[in-house]
């Protein structure tokens, strides 16, 4: 049994283990995609760590001293910094695996409709709960990005993204659920709706975490797909 202080670290390493071991699998070849994937992860991580630090300082959420290592950098445990590298890497793995096994892109026909309806609903939630900073930032951010990509840019990968997001939501709830169930991370419920995804002994996450995850993964995938397309244009 690991000491309690290694809880968050163990969750991050456990999440990373299988995708990392499968990175050289010939159907996925994660390592061959690193030139585009790494900038996507780092650019997104830059924005999300600023968000994370600010919310930590403002006590929108905070971290257990018992279940994290004693080292802090700008108010956050080192494991939290690793979150923005580990979770996107794992979700990229899911994204690539789903694209391989479901190459037909069954949501392509509906991708912009889904993006516009979901984006609009998220904006409405963000406006209604504008006084609750976690709810408003997560929903307004994800809603705005969905609408921008659908209306303004009209990208062609949203169907594949939604499918990958659905599959990645299951492990996300399990991992993030443990962070809130133990708890490693605690929230000020006056800054969110108070609605939680509760699975006894497994999960107790604010529903806003889904919007947060959507925004983080959509930023990662959008930057990645842009770089892939740019590389193809330069070669052509």
């Amino acid at each position: 049994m690991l000491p309690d202080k290694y809880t968050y670290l163990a969750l991050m390493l456990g999440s990373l283990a299988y995708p990392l071991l499968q990175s050289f699998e010939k159907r996925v070849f994660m390592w061959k995609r690193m030139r585009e994937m790494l900038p996507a992860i780092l650019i997104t991580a830059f924005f999300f760590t600023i968000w994370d630090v600010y919310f930590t300082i403002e006590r929108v959420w905070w971290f257990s001293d018992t279940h994290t290592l004693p080292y802090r950098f700008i108010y956050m445990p080192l494991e939290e910094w690793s979150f923005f590298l580990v979770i996107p890497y794992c979700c990229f793995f899911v994204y690539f695996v789903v694209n391989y096994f479901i190459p037909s892109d069954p949501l392509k026909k509906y991708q912009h409709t889904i993006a516009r309806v979901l984006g609009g609903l998220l904006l409405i939630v963000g406006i209604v709960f504008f006084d609750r900073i976690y709810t408003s930032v997560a929903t307004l951010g994800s809603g705005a990005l969905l609408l921008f990509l659908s209306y303004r840019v009209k990208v062609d990968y949203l169907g594949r993204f939604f499918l990958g997001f659905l599959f990645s939501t299951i492990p996300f709830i399990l991992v993030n659920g443990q962070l809130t169930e133990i708890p490693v991370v605690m929230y000020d419920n006056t800054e969110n709706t108070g609605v939680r995804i509760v699975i006894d002994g497994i999960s107790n996450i604010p529903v806003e975490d889904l919007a947060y995850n959507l925004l983080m993964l959509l930023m990662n995938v959008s930057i990645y797909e842009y770089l892939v397309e740019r590389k193809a244009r330069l070669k052509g």
Side-chain angles (χ1 to χ4, degrees):
M1 177 72 73
L2 286 171
D4 287 343
K5 67 179 179 179
Y6 293 110
T7 301
Y8 198 173
L9 179 63
L11 283 170
M12 289 298 95
L13 292 177
S15 301
L16 184 61
Y18 184 75
L20 194 60
L21 288 171
Q22 290 294 310
S23 294
F24 297 93
E25 208 276 337
K26 63 181 180 180
R27 290 170 295 182
V28 180
F29 275 144
M30 293 276 284
W31 66 276
K32 283 191 173 182
R33 307 173 191 263
M34 287 301 292
R35 182 169 292 184
E36 293 77 35
M37 192 169 63
L38 185 58
I41 291 174
L42 293 177
I43 292 168
T44 304
F46 174 78
F47 289 102
F48 271 79
T49 51
I50 293 173
W51 175 357
D52 206 345
V53 167
Y54 177 72
F55 273 26
T56 302
I57 292 171
E58 293 297 315
R59 300 285 287 180
V60 176
W61 54 55
W62 60 96
F63 304 92
S64 165
D65 291 331
T66 303
H67 297 289
T68 58
L69 297 174
Y71 313 106
R72 295 289 188 271
F73 179 67
I74 317 181
Y75 304 101
M76 297 197 307
L78 297 182
E79 302 94 316
E80 179 71 0
W81 290 89
S82 75
F83 180 93
F84 301 107
L85 305 177
V86 171
I87 300 304
Y89 187 88
C90 296
C91 290
F92 265 125
F93 175 77
V94 174
Y95 180 65
F96 298 142
V97 168
V98 170
N99 284 340
Y100 179 84
F101 284 104
I102 312 177
S104 60
D105 192 3
L107 297 180
K108 183 174 183 177
K109 183 179 178 181
Y110 313 102
Q111 61 182 343
H112 293 294
T113 301
I114 296 170
R116 291 164 187 176
V117 171
L118 181 57
L121 289 173
L122 286 167
L123 288 184
I124 291 170
V125 172
I127 293 168
V128 171
F129 293 97
F130 191 75
D131 60 331
R132 304 191 183 200
I133 191 170
Y134 184 26
T135 306
S136 60
V137 172
T139 56
L140 290 175
S142 52
L145 183 56
L146 280 169
L147 294 178
F148 173 76
L149 292 172
S150 178
Y151 277 112
R152 181 68 177 175
V153 187
K154 295 183 179 178
V155 297
D156 201 34
Y157 53 78
L158 288 174
R160 290 183 285 116
F161 167 77
F162 288 131
L163 203 57
F165 177 74
L166 287 174
F167 279 94
S168 68
T169 296
I170 298 170
F172 177 81
I173 288 176
L174 293 176
V175 173
N176 221 46
Q178 283 299 289
L179 290 175
T180 51
E181 179 71 15
I182 290 172
V184 177
V185 184
M186 291 147 284
Y187 295 81
D188 177 357
N189 286 330
T190 64
E191 299 294 359
N192 60 60
T193 59
V195 178
R196 290 183 172 249
I197 299 171
V198 178
I199 304 172
D200 190 37
I202 295 174
S203 174
N204 190 18
I205 66 173
V207 71
E208 288 82 356
D209 279 9
L210 295 180
Y212 180 96
N213 190 42
L214 174 66
L215 178 58
M216 181 174 66
L217 299 186
L218 187 54
M219 282 184 66
N220 272 286
V221 168
S222 297
I223 296 169
Y224 168 82
E225 293 288 357
Y226 167 77
L227 293 174
V228 169
E229 183 184 350
R230 180 173 176 270
K231 181 180 178 181
R233 286 201 312 267
L234 291 174
K235 280 186 176 181

